[in-house]
Amino acid sequence: QKEVEQDPGPLSVPEGAIVSLNCTYSNSAFQYFMWYRQYSRKGPELLMYTYSSGNKEDGRFTAQVDKSSKYISLFIRDSQPSDSATYLCAMSVAGANNLFFGTGTRLTVIP
Amino acid sequence: NAGVTQTPKFRVLKTGQSMTLLCAQDMNHEYMYWYRQDPGMGLRLIHYSVGEGTTAKGEVPDGYNVSRLKKQNFLLGLESAAPSQTSVYFCASSYLRASGRLSSYEQYFGPGTRLTVT
């Protein structure tokens, strides 16, 4: 069993829709939770991060962490064609050198 | 700042050939990483370095070697390439906060190297 599970999609939504992306994990020691966005043929770029449980909002993006369920989510409101990318969740133990990544969900926002 | 750069962008090798991938960062980051990305497998850590002159194994180190002779550079070597090493390789770097708490979550990635081994 992988430490981080993520539905690969693909996910296709109309412009303006609310998008929900999710990951589950098995290691209860994870404390940092991140979302990376990766455009086609580019490197991943950090989109948002949260520490422990709770919500974090940044513009149209909201990240949620539910440590009791070992479940994290990324919500995108008013989705735009420019949001079309692969979204990778990642997590780590505090003080650790490496990240554990999900396989990524490919999102397409149709104009 | 250029951030994290990788050389080359593309490469085709024949089985058994060797090559070196170069990663350079101009952000004075302490930590550097090499990942490979394969369809359905996500990003997997090959090797990493916590400072100049240090290296450590990641999740999938077999068939690869690394060196960190200078803080800004991290080299990934394939001594005898195999078709199973066909992949996209990403380098990343991250920094140690002044308080001493590792900000491992803020990894900055390069644009990637597409390697095909025939």
Side-chain angles (χ1 to χ4, degrees):
Chain A
Q1 182 188 5
K2 290 184 180 179
E3 296 212 54
V4 181
E5 299 279 357
Q6 184 175 11
D7 186 340
L11 184 61
S12 186
V13 301
E15 183 175 353
I18 296 175
V19 176
S20 173
L21 304 166
N22 312 294
C23 289
T24 59
Y25 63 95
S26 57
N27 188 346
S28 58
F30 287 146
Q31 290 183 290
Y32 288 110
F33 303 92
M34 293 131 268
W35 287 95
Y36 281 80
R37 179 175 60 195
Q38 184 177 20
Y39 290 114
S40 181
R41 294 182 174 267
K42 301 289 186 183
E45 56 178 341
L46 182 63
L47 191 61
M48 294 188 71
Y49 72 89
T50 54
Y51 174 69
S52 194
S53 286
N55 294 359
K56 187 173 184 178
E57 188 173 320
D58 184 2
R60 296 184 294 109
F61 298 87
T62 300
Q64 287 186 350
V65 175
D66 182 349
K67 290 196 73 180
S68 62
S69 301
K70 297 190 180 68
Y71 188 87
I72 69 170
S73 300
L74 177 70
F75 297 96
I76 307 174
R77 293 184 299 280
D78 187 26
S79 56
Q80 302 295 309
S82 59
D83 295 328
S84 297
T86 296
Y87 290 81
L88 303 157
C89 63
M91 41 200 83
S92 73
V93 174
N97 294 322
N98 56 323
L99 299 178
F100 291 85
F101 284 88
T103 53
T105 300
R106 180 182 290 183
L107 171 67
T108 301
V109 181
I110 302 168
Chain B
N1 287 352
V4 180
T5 58
Q6 293 183 231
T7 308
K9 289 184 171 51
F10 304 93
R11 186 73 186 266
V12 178
L13 287 179
K14 294 185 178 179
T15 298
Q17 287 184 321
S18 63
M19 78 163 294
T20 300
L21 281 66
L22 170 64
C23 175
Q25 52 97 2
D26 61 2
M27 297 174 283
N28 201 35
H29 285 176
E30 293 289 337
Y31 296 77
M32 296 187 75
Y33 313 80
W34 275 108
Y35 292 91
R36 58 178 291 172
Q37 188 175 40
D38 303 289
M41 301 293 291
L43 283 161
R44 293 181 291 170
L45 183 65
I46 304 171
H47 286 281
Y48 64 96
S49 168
V50 301
E52 182 178 320
T54 74
T55 63
K57 294 180 180 180
E59 181 186 355
V60 288
D62 294 342
Y64 305 96
N65 57 76
V66 289
S67 64
R68 183 106 180 261
L69 299 180
K70 294 183 178 181
K71 185 177 184 179
Q72 63 268 33
N73 295 337
F74 195 28
L75 278 62
L76 178 71
L78 286 73
E79 291 185 347
S80 180
S84 61
Q85 294 178 305
T86 293
S87 186
V88 182
Y89 291 85
F90 288 100
C91 176
S93 69
S94 68
Y95 65 98
L96 183 66
R97 290 187 185 274
S99 65
R101 185 177 183 182
L102 174 64
S103 60
S104 61
Y105 48 88
E106 289 190 40
Q107 290 190 12
Y108 296 80
F109 283 81
T113 295
R114 292 184 172 272
L115 175 66
T116 301
V117 183
T118 62

